Amino acid sequence: MNATPAYKDPALPVEQRVEDLLSRMTLEEKAGQLFHSMLMMNADGTPVTETDGSILPFTTPELVEERFLTHFNLLGSYGARAMATWQNAVQEMAAGTRLGIPVTLSTDPRHSFTDNIGASFNAGAFSAWPEAIGLGAIGDPELVFQFADTVRREYLSVGFRVALHPQIDLATEPRWARQSATFGSDAKLTGELVRAYVRGLQGETLGAGSVSAMVKHFPGGGPQKDGEDPHFAHGKEQVYPGGMREHHLEPFKAAIEAGCAQMMPYYGQPIGTDWEEVGFGFNKGVVTGLLREELGFQGIVCTDWGLLTDSVIFGEPHPARAWGVEHLSVAERTARSLEAGADQFGGEQCPEVVVELVRSGRIPEGRVDDSVRRLLREKFVLGLFENPYVDPDAAAETVGRADFAAAGAAAQRRSLTVLTNTGGVLPVAGKPKLYVRGVDEAVAAGYGDLVSDPAAADLAVLRLRTPHEPRANVFESFFHSGSLAFAEPELTEILTLLAAVPTLVCINLERAAVIPEIAEHAAALIADYGASDAALLDVAFGRAVAAGRLPFELPRSMAAVAASRPDVPNDTANPVFPHGHGLDL
C-alpha cells in the first residue's frame, strides 16, 4: 500500500505540504495553476459539459481534467442550493484528477443591484445591500465590516473562497463607468473602509473560515482619460495631469497593511509618467518594483481578465487588453506578464503557452514554481484540501437569511442622500394622492392613493437612472459611459412633470450626474446608490432615516467635467452639490 502523500497530511506545516505537492507536479499541472478562468453552470447545479463557444470556449471537464485548471470565476446568477450542488460536483471532478488538487472558486460582487457580466451580478438569492458607493456614502467602517462578514458567510456556504473585490479605485473622473463599485473620491475614507472590508472577508488572519480578498485595481484605476474604461481600446489611457498618482495609491497601502491576500492590477496604460507605458498587468516597475518591493505585498497577483488572447463576447470580436504590447504574440505577452511579477492570468485558459515558454527556455521553470507556491499555499491555508465540499441544505438556509436581508435593507435606507427639500415635502405626511414613475405601483400603493394623472396628485415620485451614452457594442453597453447630462427630449419631459406637480425625484448615482435644472425645480431630491422602492418610500414618509452624504461632487455642466483633471478628486468648477453634501430631515 502506498503511503499517504505528505501534502495530504494536515498535521504537517503548510510550507512542507506545498513543497511536497510541487515536487510531484508535471509542468502541465503547474501551468494550469496560473490560469483563473471563468465557468458557467446549468440551472440545476450540474456542470456545463457542452459549449457553443459564444462566451466560454471550453467545457468544465476540459478545463479541469485536460487543462489542469483549478481556479474559476462563476458567471451568472443561480439559486443557492444549485450553486452549492454545482460546487460539489466541480470539486468531485477535481478530486478525480491525478493529484486531486481542489478547486478555488471566485466571484465578482453579487450583493447589490448592478448586473454587468464583466464586473458584477445583482443580488439574486443573496442579501441585497447598496452598491459599494452607497457604503461610501454612509462612511461607517463597522457597517462595512458587517457587510463583508455577511458576504463571507453567504459565500462560504456555496463554496466561493475568493472575492474579486473590494474595488478601491478613487472616483475622480466623473464619467468613468466603474464608480458604483468604489467607495467614492475620498482616499482616507476608502482606506478606512477597505481595512474593515478585508477584516470582514478574511478575519484577523487567512484561514479555513476566510474568503480571500482580491483587491483591485492596482495602482488605482480612477484617472481614466475622458472617463472611458480600459476594457476597451479607446479607454486604455490612464493619465495624471494633476500629479496625484501617489494619492491614488493610499487605499492600496491600507489594504496591504490590512493583510489582503490577493491584488489585481488594472488594464490601464499609464501615459506621461515615469512608468513604462504598458498596461499594468505587463508593467514590471509597477507590479514588482512598486507593489512587491516598495509596498511589501507578498500575496497573489492576478491580472485582470483577458490580457493575453483575443475573444468573442456576445458574438462580437474583442482584442486582448494588451495595451502597449498589442504587437506581441500571445506567448510574448505571457512572458512579459510573468516577468512583471504576475502569478495568475484572469479570464484565460491557455496553459500550453506557459509550457512552451518553459520548454523553449524563454521562462525558467523556477519562475513558474514561485507563483505555483503562492497559489497552492492559499489553497492549503483556506482548508480546501481537508474540506472542499459544502452542504447544499446549509447553503439554502444561509444565503439570503432573514437577518442578512434585514441588515442589507437597513443599509439601503441609511445610504440614501437627501440633496434638497426645497418644497418642504419631506417627510411626507398622511396618505396623499401619489403619481409615480419608475416606481413599482404595488409598492407605492402602501404609502398613498395612486392616481394616473399627475394633475390629480398631491405628490409625484420619480425615479431616474444616471444618464449615459448608449454604446453599440453589446458588452460595452453594460459599461455606462459618456455624457452625464439628460438629453432631449427626456430632460424636457422631466421638467414638465416637475412644473405640473410637487415632485420628489430620486436619482440613482452609479456615477455623478449633471442635473442643475432638476435640482432647481424638484420639490425634493434624493440620491440612491442601490435601494429598493420600499427603501426610498420609507425615507420619504419618515419611516426610516437617510444618513448618506455624497461620495463625490455633482458637476454643474459637461463643460466643467471636460475641463477637470481625471486624477484630482472633486475638481469640477462650481459643482451643483459638493462632495459630502447631504441634509438631515
Side-chain angles (χ1 to χ4, degrees), residues 342-370:
D343 295 306
Q344 212 171 38
F345 301 101
E348 299 282 1
Q349 49 275 316
C350 52
E352 68 279 1
V353 174
V354 172
V355 171
E356 180 55 31
L357 284 170
V358 173
R359 289 194 172 143
S360 68
R362 176 69 175 80
I363 293 291
E365 188 167 356
R367 171 63 191 87
V368 173
D369 289 350
D370 289 343

Short mmCIF file of all heavy atoms in Angstrom, two decimals, residues 342-370:
data_model
loop_
_atom_site.label_atom_id
_atom_site.label_comp_id
_atom_site.label_asym_id
_atom_site.label_seq_id
_atom_site.Cartn_x
_atom_site.Cartn_y
_atom_site.Cartn_z
N ALA A 342 3.37 38.97 -12.26
CA ALA A 342 2.04 38.38 -12.10
C ALA A 342 2.16 36.89 -11.78
O ALA A 342 3.05 36.20 -12.28
CB ALA A 342 1.21 38.58 -13.36
N ASP A 343 1.24 36.40 -10.94
CA ASP A 343 1.20 34.97 -10.61
C ASP A 343 0.15 34.23 -11.42
O ASP A 343 0.28 33.02 -11.63
CB ASP A 343 0.84 34.79 -9.13
CG ASP A 343 1.90 35.35 -8.21
OD1 ASP A 343 3.07 34.96 -8.37
OD2 ASP A 343 1.56 36.17 -7.34
N GLN A 344 -0.88 34.95 -11.84
CA GLN A 344 -2.02 34.28 -12.44
C GLN A 344 -2.65 35.17 -13.50
O GLN A 344 -2.61 36.40 -13.39
CB GLN A 344 -3.06 33.97 -11.35
CG GLN A 344 -3.85 32.72 -11.57
CD GLN A 344 -4.71 32.35 -10.37
OE1 GLN A 344 -5.27 33.21 -9.71
NE2 GLN A 344 -4.83 31.07 -10.11
N PHE A 345 -3.25 34.52 -14.52
CA PHE A 345 -3.88 35.24 -15.62
C PHE A 345 -5.39 35.09 -15.51
O PHE A 345 -5.94 33.99 -15.63
CB PHE A 345 -3.39 34.69 -16.96
CG PHE A 345 -1.90 34.80 -17.14
CD1 PHE A 345 -1.07 33.70 -16.94
CD2 PHE A 345 -1.31 36.02 -17.45
CE1 PHE A 345 0.30 33.80 -17.08
CE2 PHE A 345 0.07 36.13 -17.59
CZ PHE A 345 0.87 35.02 -17.39
N GLY A 346 -6.06 36.21 -15.28
CA GLY A 346 -7.51 36.18 -15.15
C GLY A 346 -8.19 36.01 -16.50
O GLY A 346 -7.81 36.62 -17.49
N GLY A 347 -9.23 35.16 -16.53
CA GLY A 347 -10.05 35.02 -17.71
C GLY A 347 -9.39 34.33 -18.88
O GLY A 347 -9.91 34.39 -20.00
N GLU A 348 -8.27 33.69 -18.65
CA GLU A 348 -7.55 32.99 -19.73
C GLU A 348 -7.48 31.50 -19.41
O GLU A 348 -7.62 31.09 -18.26
CB GLU A 348 -6.13 33.56 -19.87
CG GLU A 348 -6.07 35.03 -20.22
CD GLU A 348 -6.35 35.33 -21.69
OE1 GLU A 348 -6.61 34.37 -22.45
OE2 GLU A 348 -6.29 36.50 -22.07
N GLN A 349 -7.25 30.70 -20.44
CA GLN A 349 -7.17 29.26 -20.26
C GLN A 349 -6.23 28.64 -21.29
O GLN A 349 -6.60 27.75 -22.05
CB GLN A 349 -8.55 28.60 -20.34
CG GLN A 349 -9.42 28.99 -21.53
CD GLN A 349 -10.21 30.25 -21.32
OE1 GLN A 349 -10.80 30.44 -20.25
NE2 GLN A 349 -10.25 31.10 -22.32
N CYS A 350 -4.98 29.13 -21.32
CA CYS A 350 -4.01 28.65 -22.30
C CYS A 350 -2.72 28.20 -21.62
O CYS A 350 -1.65 28.77 -21.87
CB CYS A 350 -3.74 29.72 -23.36
SG CYS A 350 -3.29 31.36 -22.72
N PRO A 351 -2.80 27.20 -20.75
CA PRO A 351 -1.58 26.75 -20.05
C PRO A 351 -0.51 26.20 -20.99
O PRO A 351 0.68 26.21 -20.64
CB PRO A 351 -2.10 25.67 -19.10
CG PRO A 351 -3.39 25.22 -19.68
CD PRO A 351 -3.98 26.43 -20.33
N GLU A 352 -0.92 25.75 -22.18
CA GLU A 352 0.07 25.24 -23.13
C GLU A 352 1.08 26.30 -23.52
O GLU A 352 2.23 25.99 -23.87
CB GLU A 352 -0.63 24.67 -24.37
CG GLU A 352 -1.32 25.68 -25.26
CD GLU A 352 -2.70 26.12 -24.77
OE1 GLU A 352 -3.14 25.66 -23.69
OE2 GLU A 352 -3.34 26.92 -25.48
N VAL A 353 0.69 27.57 -23.43
CA VAL A 353 1.61 28.67 -23.75
C VAL A 353 2.73 28.72 -22.70
O VAL A 353 3.91 28.89 -23.04
CB VAL A 353 0.85 30.01 -23.82
CG1 VAL A 353 1.83 31.16 -24.01
CG2 VAL A 353 -0.17 29.98 -24.95
N VAL A 354 2.36 28.58 -21.43
CA VAL A 354 3.37 28.58 -20.37
C VAL A 354 4.30 27.37 -20.52
O VAL A 354 5.52 27.48 -20.36
CB VAL A 354 2.69 28.59 -18.99
CG1 VAL A 354 3.73 28.40 -17.88
CG2 VAL A 354 1.93 29.89 -18.77
N VAL A 355 3.72 26.21 -20.84
CA VAL A 355 4.53 25.00 -21.03
C VAL A 355 5.57 25.23 -22.12
O VAL A 355 6.76 24.92 -21.95
CB VAL A 355 3.63 23.80 -21.37
CG1 VAL A 355 4.48 22.59 -21.79
CG2 VAL A 355 2.75 23.44 -20.17
N GLU A 356 5.15 25.81 -23.22
CA GLU A 356 6.07 26.04 -24.32
C GLU A 356 7.13 27.09 -23.96
O GLU A 356 8.29 26.97 -24.34
CB GLU A 356 5.30 26.48 -25.57
CG GLU A 356 6.18 26.73 -26.79
CD GLU A 356 7.06 25.54 -27.15
OE1 GLU A 356 6.65 24.39 -26.91
OE2 GLU A 356 8.18 25.77 -27.67
N LEU A 357 6.74 28.11 -23.20
CA LEU A 357 7.72 29.11 -22.78
C LEU A 357 8.82 28.48 -21.92
O LEU A 357 10.00 28.83 -22.04
CB LEU A 357 7.02 30.22 -21.98
CG LEU A 357 6.20 31.24 -22.78
CD1 LEU A 357 5.39 32.12 -21.84
CD2 LEU A 357 7.11 32.09 -23.67
N VAL A 358 8.46 27.56 -21.06
CA VAL A 358 9.46 26.89 -20.22
C VAL A 358 10.31 25.95 -21.06
O VAL A 358 11.54 25.94 -20.96
CB VAL A 358 8.77 26.15 -19.07
CG1 VAL A 358 9.79 25.30 -18.30
CG2 VAL A 358 8.08 27.14 -18.12
N ARG A 359 9.67 25.14 -21.89
CA ARG A 359 10.41 24.15 -22.66
C ARG A 359 11.35 24.79 -23.69
O ARG A 359 12.38 24.24 -24.03
CB ARG A 359 9.43 23.19 -23.34
CG ARG A 359 8.76 22.28 -22.32
CD ARG A 359 8.05 21.11 -22.92
NE ARG A 359 7.62 20.21 -21.85
CZ ARG A 359 6.49 19.53 -21.85
NH1 ARG A 359 5.66 19.64 -22.88
NH2 ARG A 359 6.17 18.73 -20.85
N SER A 360 11.00 26.00 -24.12
CA SER A 360 11.85 26.70 -25.07
C SER A 360 12.98 27.44 -24.38
O SER A 360 13.88 27.99 -25.03
CB SER A 360 11.03 27.70 -25.88
OG SER A 360 10.58 28.76 -25.06
N GLY A 361 12.93 27.52 -23.06
CA GLY A 361 13.95 28.25 -22.30
C GLY A 361 13.66 29.72 -22.14
O GLY A 361 14.45 30.45 -21.53
N ARG A 362 12.52 30.20 -22.63
CA ARG A 362 12.18 31.62 -22.53
C ARG A 362 11.88 32.03 -21.09
O ARG A 362 12.25 33.13 -20.65
CB ARG A 362 10.97 31.92 -23.44
CG ARG A 362 10.44 33.34 -23.37
CD ARG A 362 11.41 34.33 -23.98
NE ARG A 362 10.84 35.66 -24.02
CZ ARG A 362 10.77 36.51 -22.97
NH1 ARG A 362 11.26 36.13 -21.80
NH2 ARG A 362 10.24 37.70 -23.10
N ILE A 363 11.22 31.14 -20.33
CA ILE A 363 10.92 31.38 -18.93
C ILE A 363 11.45 30.19 -18.13
O ILE A 363 11.14 29.04 -18.46
CB ILE A 363 9.39 31.52 -18.71
CG1 ILE A 363 8.85 32.78 -19.38
CG2 ILE A 363 9.05 31.53 -17.22
CD1 ILE A 363 9.29 34.08 -18.75
N PRO A 364 12.22 30.40 -17.08
CA PRO A 364 12.69 29.27 -16.27
C PRO A 364 11.55 28.65 -15.48
O PRO A 364 10.64 29.34 -15.03
CB PRO A 364 13.73 29.91 -15.35
CG PRO A 364 13.40 31.36 -15.31
CD PRO A 364 12.77 31.70 -16.62
N GLU A 365 11.61 27.33 -15.32
CA GLU A 365 10.56 26.65 -14.57
C GLU A 365 10.50 27.16 -13.13
O GLU A 365 9.43 27.18 -12.52
CB GLU A 365 10.77 25.14 -14.60
CG GLU A 365 9.61 24.36 -14.00
CD GLU A 365 9.68 22.87 -14.31
OE1 GLU A 365 10.59 22.45 -15.06
OE2 GLU A 365 8.81 22.13 -13.80
N GLY A 366 11.64 27.58 -12.61
CA GLY A 366 11.65 28.12 -11.25
C GLY A 366 10.76 29.35 -11.11
O GLY A 366 10.19 29.58 -10.03
N ARG A 367 10.62 30.16 -12.18
CA ARG A 367 9.72 31.32 -12.12
C ARG A 367 8.28 30.85 -12.00
O ARG A 367 7.48 31.43 -11.23
CB ARG A 367 9.90 32.19 -13.38
CG ARG A 367 8.86 33.30 -13.54
CD ARG A 367 8.93 34.31 -12.40
NE ARG A 367 7.79 35.20 -12.42
CZ ARG A 367 6.62 34.93 -11.83
NH1 ARG A 367 6.46 33.81 -11.14
NH2 ARG A 367 5.63 35.80 -11.89
N VAL A 368 7.92 29.81 -12.73
CA VAL A 368 6.58 29.25 -12.61
C VAL A 368 6.36 28.69 -11.21
O VAL A 368 5.31 28.91 -10.58
CB VAL A 368 6.36 28.16 -13.68
CG1 VAL A 368 5.02 27.45 -13.47
CG2 VAL A 368 6.43 28.76 -15.07
N ASP A 369 7.37 28.00 -10.68
CA ASP A 369 7.27 27.42 -9.34
C ASP A 369 6.97 28.49 -8.28
O ASP A 369 6.21 28.26 -7.34
CB ASP A 369 8.56 26.69 -8.97
CG ASP A 369 8.75 25.40 -9.75
OD1 ASP A 369 7.80 24.96 -10.44
OD2 ASP A 369 9.87 24.83 -9.68
N ASP A 370 7.59 29.67 -8.42
CA ASP A 370 7.37 30.74 -7.45
C ASP A 370 5.88 31.08 -7.34
O ASP A 370 5.35 31.25 -6.23
CB ASP A 370 8.16 31.99 -7.85
CG ASP A 370 9.66 31.83 -7.66
OD1 ASP A 370 10.08 30.90 -6.95
OD2 ASP A 370 10.41 32.64 -8.25
#
